[in-house]
Amino acid sequence: MGWLGRARLKRRHDSEMNRLVHPLPTLLLGISSCTVSVVVTIPAIALSNQHLSWWVYVFLKGLFYLSFYFLSAYFIDKHTVSSEGLQYSTIIGRQKEILWIDVQFIQYNFLMKWFQIRSRSGQVARLSAILMGLPQFAQVALEHVPNDALDRVTEDILEETARGNPPSVWD
């Protein structure tokens, strides 16, 4: 699945450089997991005589929710970075903005594989490590975010990301 990690580093048109979007493999994962969940669920229910184990239902439901996440992330998660701040969308599609001067902290979450940006007013934006455009985000954040908003580990990760080496999606 290294193709997903490589797809986020694909060179884009200059007009798209400040936009953070999911790469095409995110859509492909959503479509394929949705297809698998539907193709497996229908025969499982039809042939089960109502005696399917509970874990089969949990697995199929989880696969469907995973496909929903990938599809919604591909179509809804669109963010824009500028010298003033970050315009971001929530998972339900609401557009919000955090100005760099209002950033309380930026932290990289190793477990969830995202950058969490919290404003002084309590707004929180989460930027997945899968997004295309992370090097531009890192460059702008390092230039404009107040120094006290970055811990040493996150600053190192942002510096590496700005050089074109975003955090691994798999480690």
Side-chain angles (χ1 to χ4, degrees):
M1 298 247 316
W3 52 276
L4 178 59
R6 286 187 304 272
R8 67 192 171 141
L9 299 175
K10 184 179 174 185
R11 178 81 176 137
R12 300 184 302 152
H13 191 272
D14 288 343
S15 64
E16 294 290 311
M17 294 304 271
N18 289 338
R19 290 181 42 94
L20 296 140
V21 296
H22 280 271
L24 183 61
T26 304
L27 175 63
L28 300 176
L29 282 171
I31 291 170
S32 60
S33 59
C34 184
T35 302
V36 167
S37 68
V38 168
V39 166
V40 171
T41 300
I42 292 173
I45 292 172
L47 301 174
S48 71
N49 279 343
Q50 315 304 339
H51 291 63
L52 271 184
S53 179
W54 65 270
W55 64 266
V56 174
Y57 287 113
V58 170
F59 172 76
L60 294 173
K61 202 176 238 188
L63 192 59
F64 178 76
Y65 287 139
L66 180 66
S67 68
F68 177 76
Y69 169 76
F70 281 125
L71 291 171
S72 64
Y74 182 80
F75 289 108
I76 295 173
D77 276 3
K78 302 201 185 312
H79 318 292
T80 305
V81 176
S82 71
S83 59
E84 290 82 37
L86 171 72
Q87 291 179 334
Y88 67 100
S89 59
T90 64
I91 194 67
I92 58 172
R94 290 187 54 204
Q95 294 293 316
K96 295 186 174 190
E97 182 175 25
I98 295 178
L99 300 176
W100 296 127
I101 59 172
D102 294 334
V103 171
Q104 182 178 8
F105 73 84
I106 297 180
Q107 187 174 28
Y108 184 71
N109 185 317
F110 287 93
L111 180 63
M112 299 305 292
K113 306 294 184 194
W114 65 39
F115 288 96
Q116 180 176 332
I117 300 107
R118 181 178 299 274
S119 72
R120 298 189 195 293
S121 66
Q123 280 184 294
V124 178
R126 292 177 180 89
L127 303 178
S128 171
I130 297 174
L131 292 172
M132 296 171 69
L134 281 180
Q136 291 76 19
F137 157 74
Q139 289 171 350
V140 173
L142 286 168
E143 289 173 17
H144 298 286
V145 169
N147 291 337
D148 63 337
L150 296 173
D151 61 51
R152 189 69 219 152
V153 173
T154 301
E155 188 172 2
D156 291 344
I157 292 170
L158 285 171
E159 287 171 354
E160 274 300 304
T161 302
R163 285 193 281 274
N165 303 312
S168 173
V169 179
W170 310 113
D171 292 341

